[in-house]
């Protein structure tokens, strides 16, 4: 083709104007399309130079969501006062002044008279409307400028006030932090300081970066004036997370913990940073940081680090961080290391030789290492004698380990790992991984009786070296902390116990990973007694699996149950009699929990076998001399018999226990608790059987408790005088045992608080059965008012989850109150206002109580009005640092969505009333986004796993993939998240397994091993 082309058509304008530039050519615009002399009926002219008409831009009216309107709504300026008819501004009085009447203003001022207003009684606006005219428009730009200027003036005033206060008092840390937080309002609010909200996303990001840099400059000024303050330096590192490179940020964190090695809150923040920073995360790195933290704080505690003295709360902080490390390893799949950490700490604490007790912690750990590497049995293993006995025997020449019987259970278990080879490979991997997670969580050690060595281990990760746990061994000298170590280990193994053993909300939010925490609420068949064993929201060892897995054992595997039995038997010999009673009670409650799980599963065969084992253990424990007089154990055994359906046997056990201890009266909280449960069970039985006679038996039990005399079984009649005397006794006991905020001292409060909840429950139920719900409600309200001291108020508002005895007692009374009101509402035709008020008041003060939230959901889910519940969820979530309100709000919305989906599936094609499912999906997604954007919800594993599961199940798999990688930026250590991804995105299973291997999470079954198992 030719590169040049000749244009043969001439352009006359080049000759006429002697120029090729189009600007030099004259152009004429025609006004109109007409022409003189033409007959419009027959002739027409087509003007070749006719230009396009300009489009008339019609400005749409601005609505409430427009940027300019949002600026007006966010404006903090004073409202503009209207002008009166005489031109003066109206005053800002507390009332609206009406115009003066005709008598006051005379006849000089008359309204304009017209044909639409002959009497002159309409105002000018109404007259114009009747004439079909509008009022003269007020220029919006001028009004906006006034409001904008007023808002800018107020913001300028606040900035000047901050600057003045900081100049006068540069050591006010909270004022500096408030000034930093004020920059968000200054930049993204309204006024001349605000960023342009009409700009694009890039401009928005630039403005956010500018605000971060401004905040950083303020924090730098604050650090210059307060160089020793840790909070300001922490704030600086949090701001630099978006500005600095990961390597630089990590270096600054190391510098900060080096300068302040004795600050427990600083170490907590540093540990959270290391385990949640995806680019630099690996399990071995985080585990080494935990060891460095614990060894440094141990040196500070025992005085080895002379440069930094221990701060208050160092011992409790040490134990909290140790427990956090154990749960971090459990969530990452390294359960063997977590179990070894607990074994090492128990041996190091309870079996320490006297010759090393006075040495520093580091030297004690050096003496402990030979015992750990010697191959001797440890706590939980057969024949465990402890560190002290081993050292004594070593001085005498050592001992010979007796041979143990051979067990071939492992070989039989390996043969049946793959049951169906025709299933997809990813499902086979999930089944095998879950099976090994449940059965092989104990550390592997060579069996010397079989001639095994360390090379015989098929999975090297099951062996735990001392280098992995040695730096994390700490000293625990206080008896209360030693008991807490034992109870935490038992809870780690699945035993029920008091929740909230961590002193910070962030630690508790990180541990939430069990979906049954939200799904298993109070049982409808047991409305009064189903709150006895609350769930902690933490998966026990061996139960960590993918989110929607319904297969769950009642207890541990066979080897795990044997290990647990050994731990309990060996620990009971090391503690005091009071601690023995506490541990034995947890043991029996664990057996009851397994029976409850069998009841929920509906497996009668499993329930029968588990019931026999639990009854056998309960009888064996009660036969021991130390436990024969324990009313708490008698209570658990009787409740166990009742759950198994043996009502007469359970009544005999209750009556036997009451015959032993009823003479103690209302002064014994354990006796009150036993009688309270017995009476509740009788009320529930009367409700299920439809008879009223057994309710009188409950009144008889509570009456005998108040009398304090010898107990005889119920014969069918109650003396009315005894009921009156019992009521008087209850009133006097409640007045004497409830704390008085103005007179009681802090030392006496725990003693009285311990005995309050069971006493209030007995009196409340007694009043309900004899006088009605009004009397019972008055008892509970009076007790709750007395149980709110100022210390507890400050603890709740600060968001702390430290469950002191006062806090647990208060929660128990609130749950009893709401449960009784709900029982009365279900059995009588009464309005829900009293129940709702009790629930909202209790949850507002106890926002982290899952039992109260379950009751609230069960109450509100019966009605389709979701607006009230949504407003309440929002109000509570704003005032607490816990993620629990968000979890239950999401659960409520998902249940509503499932209800609508089921209705539409049963009635396809029909227009059903109610709200849109798409709107509910968007609302749930918004709740997830809001919860994960908060500081306390960003690192909650359960929240992210629920978010991922919801997005995929809602049909947005592509968005779900983005949520998975977003979750990895916050919780990269959670193995359950990767297993959920394998189930939801099976075509990318190898990608997820490679990612787990890269981050050093515990992978028990590589895909290559699955191929080998399939070939076999």
């Amino acid at each position: 083709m030719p590169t040049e082309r000749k244009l043969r058509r001439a352009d006359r304008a080049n000759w006429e104007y002697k120029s090729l530039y189009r600007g030099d050519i004259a152009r004429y615009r025609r006004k109109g399309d007409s022409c003189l002399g033409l007959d419009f009926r027959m002739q027409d002219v087509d003007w070749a130079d006719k230009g396009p008409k300009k489009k008339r831009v019609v400005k749409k009216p601005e609505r409430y969501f427009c940027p300019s309107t949002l600026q007006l709504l966010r404006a903090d300026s004073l409202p503009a006062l209207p002008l009166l008819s005489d031109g003066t501004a109206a005053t800002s009085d507390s009332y609206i002044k009406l115009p003066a009447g005709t008598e006051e203003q005379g006849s000089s001022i008359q309204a304009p008279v017209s044909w639409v207003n002959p009497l002159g009684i309409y105002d000018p606006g109404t007259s114009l409307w009747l004439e079909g005219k509008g009022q003269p428009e007020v220029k919006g730009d001028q009004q906006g400028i006034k409001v904008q200027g007023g808002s800018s003036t107020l913001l300028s005033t606040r900035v000047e006030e901050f600057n003045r206060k900081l100049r006068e008092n540069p050591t006010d840390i909270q004022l500096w932090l408030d000034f930093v937080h004020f920059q968000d309002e200054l930049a993204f609010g309204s006024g001349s300081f605000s960023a342009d909200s009409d700009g694009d996303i890039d401009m928005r990001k630039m403005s956010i970066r500018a605000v971060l840099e401004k905040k950083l400059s303020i924090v730098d000024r604050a650090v210059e004036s307060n160089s020793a303050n840790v909070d300001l330096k922490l704030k600086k590192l949090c701001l630099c997370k978006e500005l600095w490179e990961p390597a630089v940020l990590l270096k600054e964190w190391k510098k900060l913990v080096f300068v302040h090695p004795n600050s427990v809150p600083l170490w907590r923040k540093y540990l959270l940073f290391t385990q949640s920073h995806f680019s630099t995360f690996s399990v071995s790195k985080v585990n080494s940081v935990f060891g460095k933290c614990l060894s440094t704080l141990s040196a500070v505690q025992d005085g080895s680090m002379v440069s930094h003295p221990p701060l208050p709360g160092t011992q409790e902080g040490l134990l909290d961080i140790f427990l956090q490390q154990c749960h971090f390893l459990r969530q990452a799949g390294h359960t063997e290391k977590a179990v070894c950490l607990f074994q090492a700490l128990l041996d190091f604490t309870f079996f320490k030789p006297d010759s090393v007790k006075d040495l520093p912690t580091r030297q004690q750990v050096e003496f402990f290492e030979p015992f750990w590497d010697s191959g001797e049995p440890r706590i939980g293993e057969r024949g465990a004698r402890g560190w002290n006995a081993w050292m004594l025997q070593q001085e005498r020449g050592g001992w010979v380990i007796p041979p143990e019987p051979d067990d071939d259970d492992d070989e039989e278990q390996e043969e049946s790992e793959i049951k169906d080879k025709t299933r997809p490979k990813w499902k086979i991997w999930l089944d095998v991984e879950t099976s090994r997670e449940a059965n092989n969580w104990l550390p592997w050690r060579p069996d010397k009786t079989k001639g095994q060595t360390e090379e015989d281990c098929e999975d090297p990760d099951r062996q735990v070296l001392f280098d992995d746990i040695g730096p994390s061994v700490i000293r625990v000298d206080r008896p209360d902390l030693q008991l807490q170590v034992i109870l935490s280990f038992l809870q780690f193994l699945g035993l029920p116990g008091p929740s909230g053993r961590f002193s910070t909300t962030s630690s508790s939010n990180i541990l939430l990973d069990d979906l049954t925490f939200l799904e298993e609420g109070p049982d409808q068949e047991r409305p009064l007694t189903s709150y006895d064993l609350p769930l902690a929201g933490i998966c026990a060892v061996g139960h960590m699996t993918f989110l929607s897995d319904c297969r769950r054992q009642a207890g541990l595997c066979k080897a795990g149950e044997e290990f647990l039995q050994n731990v309990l038997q060996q620990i009971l010999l090391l503690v005091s009699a009071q601690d023995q009673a506490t541990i034995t009670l947890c043991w029996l409650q664990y057996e009851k929990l397994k029976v409850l799980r069998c009841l929920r599963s509906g497996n009668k065969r499993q329930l029968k076998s588990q019931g026999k084992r639990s009854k056998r253990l309960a009888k064996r424990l009660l036969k021991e001399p130390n436990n024969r007089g324990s009313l708490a154990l008698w209570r658990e055994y009787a409740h166990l018999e009742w759950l198994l359906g043996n009502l007469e046997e359970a009544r005999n056990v209750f009556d036997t226990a009451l015959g032993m201890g009823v003479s103690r009266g209302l002064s014994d909280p354990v006796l009150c608790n036993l009688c309270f449960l017995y009476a509740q069970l009788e009320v529930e039985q009367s409700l299920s059987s439809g008879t009223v006679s057994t309710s009188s038996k409950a009144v008889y039990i509570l009456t005998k408790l108040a009398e304090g005399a010898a107990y005889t079984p119920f014969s069918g009649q109650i003396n009315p005088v005894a009921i009156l005397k019992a009521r008087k006794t209850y009133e006097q006991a409640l007045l004497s045992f409830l704390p008085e905020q103005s007179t009681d001292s802090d030392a006496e409060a725990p003693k009285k608080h311990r005995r309050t909840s069971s006493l209030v429950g007995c009196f409340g139920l007694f009043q309900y059965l004899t006088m009605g719900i009004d009397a019972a409600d008055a008892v509970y309200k009076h007790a709750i008012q007395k149980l709110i001291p100022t210390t507890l108020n400050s603890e709740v508002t600060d968001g702390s989850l430290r469950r002191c005895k006062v806090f647990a007692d208060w929660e128990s009374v609130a749950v009893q109150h709401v449960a009784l009101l709900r029982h009365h509402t279900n059995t009588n035709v009464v309005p829900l206002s009293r129940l709702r008020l009790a629930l909202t008041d209790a949850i507002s003060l106890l926002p982290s109580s899952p039992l109260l939230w379950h009751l609230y959901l069960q109450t509100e889910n019966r009605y389709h009005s979701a607006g009230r519940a949504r407003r309440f969820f929002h109000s509570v979530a704003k005032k607490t640092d816990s993620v629990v309100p968000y979890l239950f709000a999401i659960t409520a919305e998902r249940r509503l969505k499932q209800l609508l989906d089921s209705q539409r599936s049963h009635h396809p094609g029909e227009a059903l009333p109610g709200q849109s499912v798409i709107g509910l999906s968007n609302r749930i997604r918004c709740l997830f986004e809001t919860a994960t954007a908060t500081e306390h919800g960003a690192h909650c594993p359960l929240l992210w796993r629920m978010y991922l599961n919801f997005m995929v199940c809602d049909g947005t798999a592509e968005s779900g993939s983005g949520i998975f990688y977003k979750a990895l930026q916050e919780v990269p250590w959670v193995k359950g998240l990767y297993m959920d991804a394998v189930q939801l995105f099976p075509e990318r299973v190898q990608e997820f397994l490679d990612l787990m291997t890269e981050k050093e999470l515990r992978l028990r079954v590589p895909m290559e091993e699955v191929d080998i198992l399939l070939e076999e």
Side-chain angles (χ1 to χ4, degrees), residues 611-612 615 619 637-654:
K612 288 182 179 179
K615 286 171 60 177
K619 291 179 180 179
Y637 175 48
H639 195 193
L640 181 64
E641 291 282 3
W642 197 288
L643 291 174
L644 292 172
N646 308 323
L647 302 187
E648 293 302 324
E649 182 67 24
R651 289 190 176 102
N652 292 335
V653 175
F654 273 122

Side-chain angles (χ1 to χ4, degrees), residues 683 695-703 718-728 730-731 762-776 779 820:
V683 173
S695 295
S696 58
K697 187 170 185 178
V699 177
Y700 176 79
I701 295 167
L702 298 174
T703 303
I718 307 176
N719 189 358
V721 179
I723 295 178
L724 296 176
K725 291 182 178 179
R727 182 177 295 113
K728 189 66 175 178
Y730 275 119
E731 292 175 354
C762 289
F763 188 27
L765 185 59
F766 178 81
Q767 291 288 83
Y768 175 70
L769 296 175
T770 56
M771 296 185 65
I773 190 61
D774 294 333
V779 170
L820 185 62

Side-chain angles (χ1 to χ4, degrees), residues 234-252:
L234 279 175
K235 188 65 178 179
K236 179 180 178 180
L237 290 178
C238 292
L239 294 174
C240 294
K241 186 177 180 180
E242 304 293 336
L243 299 175
W244 291 353
E245 294 294 329
V248 179
L249 190 61
L250 183 60
K251 185 178 179 180
E252 291 297 323

Side-chain angles (χ1 to χ4, degrees), residues 183-243:
Q183 302 307 310
D184 292 327
E185 180 183 353
L186 196 64
F188 305 113
S190 60
S192 59
F193 297 94
S194 63
D196 185 10
S197 57
D198 292 333
D200 55 4
I201 299 178
D202 295 333
M203 293 297 295
R204 182 77 174 177
K205 290 181 178 179
M206 291 177 60
S207 62
I208 291 176
R209 185 176 181 87
V211 173
L212 285 175
E213 292 177 352
K214 189 174 182 181
K215 288 182 178 181
L216 186 59
S217 64
I218 295 173
V219 174
D220 287 336
R221 287 175 50 201
V223 171
E224 291 177 1
S225 304
N226 307 273
S227 57
N229 188 265
V230 180
D231 294 334
L232 291 173
K233 296 178 180 179
L234 279 175
K235 188 65 178 179
K236 179 180 178 180
L237 290 178
C238 292
L239 294 174
C240 294
K241 186 177 180 180
E242 304 293 336
L243 299 175

Side-chain angles (χ1 to χ4, degrees), residues 343-357 359-372 374 376-379 384-395 399 466 473-475:
Q343 286 180 306
L345 185 61
L346 291 174
D347 260 315
F348 189 77
T349 301
F350 294 101
F351 294 100
K352 187 179 299 182
D354 296 334
S355 57
V356 301
K357 286 185 177 180
L359 298 177
T361 305
R362 185 173 181 179
Q363 297 182 14
Q364 292 183 14
V365 173
E366 292 175 355
F367 278 101
F368 182 69
E369 182 176 2
F371 162 72
W372 187 264
S374 65
E376 292 299 319
R378 304 162 187 165
I379 281 188
R385 299 175 176 87
W387 179 22
N388 187 18
W390 177 82
M391 285 196 66
L392 292 176
Q393 195 65 27
Q394 285 297 110
E395 295 173 358
W399 55 50
F466 187 79
V473 179
I474 60 175
R475 291 173 59 180

Side-chain angles (χ1 to χ4, degrees), residues 744-816:
D744 284 350
S745 61
D746 295 336
E748 294 176 351
K751 182 178 180 181
K752 292 189 176 182
H753 284 150
R754 270 203 305 270
R755 58 183 68 171
T756 304
S757 62
S758 55
L759 174 62
V760 173
C762 289
F763 188 27
L765 185 59
F766 178 81
Q767 291 288 83
Y768 175 70
L769 296 175
T770 56
M771 296 185 65
I773 190 61
D774 294 333
D777 191 29
V779 170
Y780 279 110
K781 286 182 178 179
H782 176 69
I784 290 175
Q785 289 177 357
K786 292 291 185 179
L787 284 174
I788 308 180
T790 54
T791 55
L792 190 57
N793 265 337
S794 62
E795 184 180 14
V796 174
T797 53
D798 292 343
S800 176
L801 283 183
R802 186 184 294 276
R803 297 292 185 98
C804 62
K805 295 176 181 177
V806 183
F807 190 90
D809 206 30
W810 183 20
E811 182 182 13
S812 178
V813 171
V815 171
Q816 292 170 12

Side-chain angles (χ1 to χ4, degrees), residues 43 103 134 359 456 519 620 838 925-926:
Q43 297 173 326
E103 293 84 357
L359 298 177
D456 296 330
E519 293 181 344
R620 181 171 63 83
R925 192 178 297 113
C926 181

